[in-house]
Amino acid sequence: MTTFVPKEVQAGLDSARVQSLKSGSRLRILADGKHHPVLRMWETGFSVDAETAPNLRGYVDLYDGAIHLFQCLIIASEEEMGEMRFEFKQLTAVSNTAPLDFERSEDAPVALIEAQK
C-alpha cells in the first residue's frame, strides 16, 4: 500500500510540527545578539527553525529560560523538514563560580570566625 500526500498538505503538516516544537521548548540560543528557539536538542547537537536562523556558525550561548547552560561552538549540519540542524564542535558548561587555582581539601573550614576583643 502506498501513501501519497500532496505537497501542500505535507508543507502544512511540517509547519504545524515545527510550531508545536517551538511552543513546547524552553531552550533557546543567543547568536549575534538575537534569540532563536531550539526545537530539539540531542547529545551531539540541536535544531532550530530553518526560516529564522539558516546561517548560524561559530560561538553561541545556549539557555534554558533565563539560565545560561552552555557556550557552544557549532557548525551547520543539514536542513530537513523545516529544521536546520547544527552539530557541536565544542560544548562548555557555564559555571556560576570562578575556577579554583588550587585543590580545596575536604576538611577545609567553610568560614573564619575571629575572636572579638
Side-chain angles (χ1 to χ4, degrees):
M1 178 174 176
T2 305
T3 303
F4 174 74
V5 179
K7 289 182 181 181
E8 296 82 15
V9 173
Q10 185 63 44
L13 290 172
D14 290 342
S15 174
R17 184 182 55 77
V18 167
Q19 188 61 32
S20 71
L21 288 172
K22 276 185 190 179
S23 64
S25 177
R26 291 175 31 117
L27 294 176
R28 60 189 170 91
I29 59 168
L30 175 64
D32 299 329
K34 296 179 183 176
H35 293 279
H36 304 283
V38 173
L39 302 177
R40 294 185 298 127
M41 184 175 166
W42 53 94
E43 190 173 315
T44 60
F46 64 92
S47 67
V48 297
D49 187 11
E51 293 179 7
T52 60
N55 295 323
L56 292 178
R57 168 179 200 145
Y59 280 101
V60 297
D61 294 309
L62 182 64
Y63 289 87
D64 180 8
I67 301 169
H68 192 188
L69 297 176
F70 298 104
Q71 289 181 327
C72 316
L73 179 60
I74 61 169
I75 57 170
S77 177
E78 63 183 339
E79 181 180 346
E80 184 178 343
M81 297 188 333
E83 294 181 33
M84 189 66 189
R85 296 182 183 171
F86 296 91
E87 299 295 326
F88 298 127
K89 288 184 82 174
Q90 179 182 355
L91 185 66
T92 306
V94 175
S95 175
N96 292 336
T97 60
L100 296 176
D101 291 336
F102 55 90
E103 181 180 358
R104 185 176 297 238
S105 64
E106 292 180 18
D107 60 348
V110 175
L112 178 62
I113 301 174
E114 295 183 13
Q116 294 183 358
K117 296 182 183 180

